[in-house]
Amino acid sequence: MNEIIAKFAREGILIEDEAYLRLKEMDDPMTASSELIVSIRKEGGKFTILTSEVLDDFFEIENPHEIKAGGPVKDDFKREFDFRVIQDTSNKSYTSGEIQDMVSYFSSRFTKLKNLLSKRPELRSHVPIADLRSGGDVVSIIGIVNDLRSTKNNHKMIELEDDTGEITVIVHNENHELFEKSEKLVRDEVIGVHGVKKGRLVVASDIFHPGVPRIQEKEMKFSAVFISDVHIGSQTFLEESFRRFVRWLNGDEGSEEQREVAADVKYLVVAGDIVDGIGIYPGQERELLIKDITEQYEEAARLFGDIQRDIKIIMIPGNHDASRIAEPQPAIPEEYAKSLYSLKNVEFLSNPSLVSLDGLKTLIYHGRSFDDMAMSINGLSHDKSHLIMEELLEKRHLAPIYGERTPLASEIEDHLVIDDVPDILHTGHVHINAYKKYRGVHMINSGTFQAQTEFQKIYNIVPTCGQVPVLHRGALKVFEF
């Protein structure tokens, strides 16, 4: 069967000969067909036969062989968006794979975080490691954690390095508070140390992270919705739950209170894993309902295309999306997601990215590094992602551990340093909702629209499915679909 006819047939739409011929003659008939299906589905699927007249009704046609994507047609009222992209690495990601790139990458990380640490009163008099004198002096140093280990007496040894040299820092286990702080250190983070120089060692009296100052909470005169891990294309994708969510966004479902909140929503922030992807893990094909990556994104366009146009959608990739696997990930490539790109109210950004939503700085990160953090620090786990987010804010880095499960690109600049303190930090990846306000920052981890997978059953991970966090004028609400 012809691909165009088959595409419409899967949606229960017949196509007349004249409409078929007009689509076939276009420059990109498959993309035009996908855009048309999105528009037809927006009308509730009431059309069962595609005619030439329907083409004219749903698309702006400048000539008989060209269709401009119209996107969703419902537009109840116009909104003014004060939306600004502060950081998007999609076109700023450079690496040649040379060893010098890795040197530049860590130099960038160290310089950025050293500058933040230097502002702390306790570290203003810090000295380079190479300039430390031989003994007895109280010293302050800043370095990157090269290694962590314990002595036979269970003291903590920290190998610290800066751009001038290396030093071993000792944390005595008798200093319980400091020792507990040292237990949360990870390799490759940048810290400050206050202590006493003894021979070739520094005995620490305090350890400092770059940290975040308490920020003034900004007035929020709108609502924003945060989702992630939709996993369209998977057999476990909860389509009806997602459709109920969309109907709520459009004001067509929910209690009176829920509809009032929906009417106030200006932004929908999607923190990655829009689709389930292809070849992400061994045996994935057996668990896929849609086995083609382009068709997965076409289905995503149909589903997200049902959302009314007065809601701006900000979308970044996750590790299941068709972006490069190494972070920072550029925005989802248009070549795989042309239908999704046809939606006029969607902004495609990198993972991570920083945007301003009506003045609220919102840092969006999928959260792949949560795997490494949960494995490296006692007390952290996937079901306590708010604690992981707190650690990342304190370390001022979204993926501090290099060379473990999280692939990081060795670039000239480290784009995962948290330069600006956000008002909102939104993450996903772990499929479990979490929320905490930390020093004025709203930390939100959104759940999923995917039922418990076989992998999650093995590790007893219970996802929060269809539970959507909404920041309603500064107060968190969670609606279940």
Side-chain angles (χ1 to χ4, degrees):
M1 183 185 292
N2 181 278
E3 283 185 279
I4 296 174
I5 296 173
K7 181 183 284 286
F8 282 97
R10 284 195 295 269
E11 300 299 321
I13 302 169
L14 301 177
I15 181 169
E16 287 188 348
D17 290 345
E18 177 64 23
Y20 166 71
L21 292 173
R22 287 176 60 180
L23 281 170
K24 187 179 179 182
E25 291 174 0
M26 293 172 189
D27 292 336
D28 191 349
M30 296 304 290
T31 298
S33 298
S34 297
E35 293 166 357
L36 183 59
I37 288 170
V38 170
S39 296
I40 291 175
R41 288 282 291 273
K42 185 64 183 177
E43 289 297 301
K46 67 181 181 181
F47 291 103
T48 57
I49 301 178
L50 176 61
T51 65
S52 297
E53 290 75 16
V54 173
L55 288 178
D56 294 335
D57 288 341
F58 278 90
F59 294 100
E60 298 174 5
I61 301 180
E62 296 183 354
N63 61 62
H65 305 301
E66 181 181 0
I67 286 183
K68 296 288 185 181
V73 295
K74 182 178 178 182
D75 195 3
D76 293 334
F77 58 95
K78 297 292 183 181
R79 268 202 176 111
E80 293 294 327
F81 293 100
D82 182 10
F83 173 78
R84 182 167 58 92
V85 177
I86 301 172
Q87 179 182 342
D88 173 22
T89 63
S90 296
N91 298 312
K92 301 176 183 177
S93 182
Y94 304 105
T95 181
S96 64
E98 301 289 336
I99 189 66
Q100 185 57 41
D101 288 349
M102 183 174 290
V103 175
S104 299
Y105 173 81
F106 279 103
S107 176
S108 169
R109 175 185 296 199
F110 178 69
T111 300
K112 287 182 177 184
L113 294 174
K114 175 186 173 184
N115 289 339
L116 291 173
L117 282 159
S118 298
K119 296 175 183 177
R120 298 187 66 109
E122 306 92 340
L123 296 172
R124 284 176 184 161
S125 60
H126 74 277
V127 296
I129 289 174
D131 292 349
L132 292 176
R133 296 178 181 177
S134 56
D137 292 338
V138 176
V139 297
S140 295
I141 54 176
I142 296 173
I144 189 166
V145 177
N146 194 30
D147 194 19
L148 293 160
R149 60 186 188 274
S150 298
T151 69
K152 61 181 180 180
N153 295 321
N154 199 32
H155 302 304
K156 182 72 71 176
M157 295 183 67
I158 308 165
E159 298 296 335
L160 209 61
E161 178 182 3
D162 67 6
D163 49 359
T164 69
E166 300 178 358
I167 193 74
T168 299
V169 176
I170 296 291
V171 179
H172 286 295
N173 56 20
E174 294 91 349
N175 189 339
H176 300 296
E177 185 176 344
L178 185 61
F179 190 82
E180 185 177 338
K181 185 185 290 188
S182 73
E183 290 282 83
K184 293 184 178 181
L185 296 178
V186 297
R187 286 187 298 102
D188 306 318
E189 71 167 304
V190 179
I191 61 171
V193 173
H194 193 69
V196 177
K197 180 75 163 52
K198 292 189 175 181
R200 297 181 179 180
L201 306 174
V202 170
V203 179
S205 58
D206 210 345
I207 295 172
F208 305 96
H209 296 293
V212 291
R214 182 171 295 280
I215 62 172
Q216 180 83 29
E217 187 171 351
K218 295 176 182 175
E219 185 179 9
M220 188 176 182
K221 297 181 178 180
F222 63 97
S223 297
V225 177
F226 301 89
I227 66 171
S228 62
D229 303 279
V230 187
H231 289 277
I232 294 166
S234 168
Q235 291 179 4
T236 48
F237 166 53
L238 301 172
E239 180 175 350
E240 183 50 40
S241 177
F242 188 83
R243 289 191 182 281
R244 285 197 299 271
F245 161 66
V246 171
R247 290 197 294 270
W248 166 74
L249 269 182
N250 291 342
D252 298 329
E253 186 165 308
S255 66
E256 183 177 350
E257 178 196 359
Q258 290 172 335
R259 294 188 187 207
E260 287 178 1
V261 174
D264 196 46
V265 173
K266 288 184 71 174
Y267 299 99
L268 169 61
V269 186
V270 189
D273 282 1
I274 289 87
V275 299
D276 204 51
I278 305 293
I280 306 299
Y281 55 86
Q284 183 190 18
E285 186 174 352
R286 296 191 298 271
E287 300 177 10
L288 289 175
L289 187 65
I290 303 174
K291 302 183 190 307
D292 179 88
I293 188 66
T294 302
E295 290 184 7
Q296 288 183 7
Y297 281 115
E298 287 174 356
E299 180 65 13
R302 287 190 279 273
L303 292 164
F304 281 94
D306 284 341
I307 297 171
Q308 60 191 47
R309 279 191 303 198
D310 66 339
I311 295 176
K312 182 176 285 293
I313 304 171
I314 300 98
M315 194 173 285
I316 70 166
N319 56 296
H320 279 252
D321 285 298
S323 183
R324 79 174 184 190
I325 196 66
E327 297 178 358
Q329 293 178 282
I332 298 167
E334 186 174 359
E335 64 179 298
Y336 297 111
K338 287 183 180 179
S339 300
L340 204 52
Y341 269 79
S342 74
L343 304 182
K344 301 304 182 185
N345 58 332
V346 180
E347 298 277 348
F348 296 92
L349 300 174
S350 64
N351 171 38
S353 59
L354 180 66
V355 299
S356 174
L357 307 179
D358 285 28
L360 271 74
K361 290 182 181 178
T362 303
L363 179 58
I364 316 165
Y365 174 57
H366 179 62
R368 182 76 184 272
S369 70
F370 287 14
D371 297 338
D372 292 332
M373 294 293 288
M375 293 176 63
S376 300
I377 300 178
N378 289 333
L380 298 188
S381 60
H382 289 89
D383 61 347
K384 296 179 181 177
S385 57
H386 59 289
L387 298 180
I388 297 178
M389 285 188 278
E390 185 178 316
E391 281 299 315
L392 297 183
L393 284 176
E394 278 300 304
K395 298 176 191 308
R396 294 292 286 271
H397 201 285
L398 292 170
I401 305 171
Y402 189 92
E404 294 295 337
R405 299 180 65 180
T406 307
L408 299 175
S410 300
E411 301 189 331
I412 296 172
E413 180 180 357
D414 185 351
H415 296 289
L416 278 79
V417 172
I418 305 174
D419 296 300
D420 293 333
V421 179
D423 300 293
I424 302 168
L425 171 59
H426 175 214
T427 60
H429 186 61
V430 299
H431 292 208
I432 300 173
N433 274 350
Y435 173 79
K436 182 179 180 180
K437 189 184 288 186
Y438 181 68
R439 297 185 178 274
V441 180
H442 295 279
M443 303 187 307
I444 302 170
N445 189 283
S446 48
T448 182
F449 281 95
Q450 183 181 37
Q452 189 181 39
T453 64
E454 291 302 317
F455 174 83
Q456 291 170 337
K457 290 176 183 176
I458 293 171
Y459 290 94
N460 197 30
I461 297 172
V462 182
T464 51
C465 305
Q467 298 180 26
V468 176
V470 182
L471 206 53
H472 176 55
R473 298 186 173 244
L476 184 81
K477 295 180 180 289
V478 178
F479 295 150
E480 188 165 354
F481 302 96

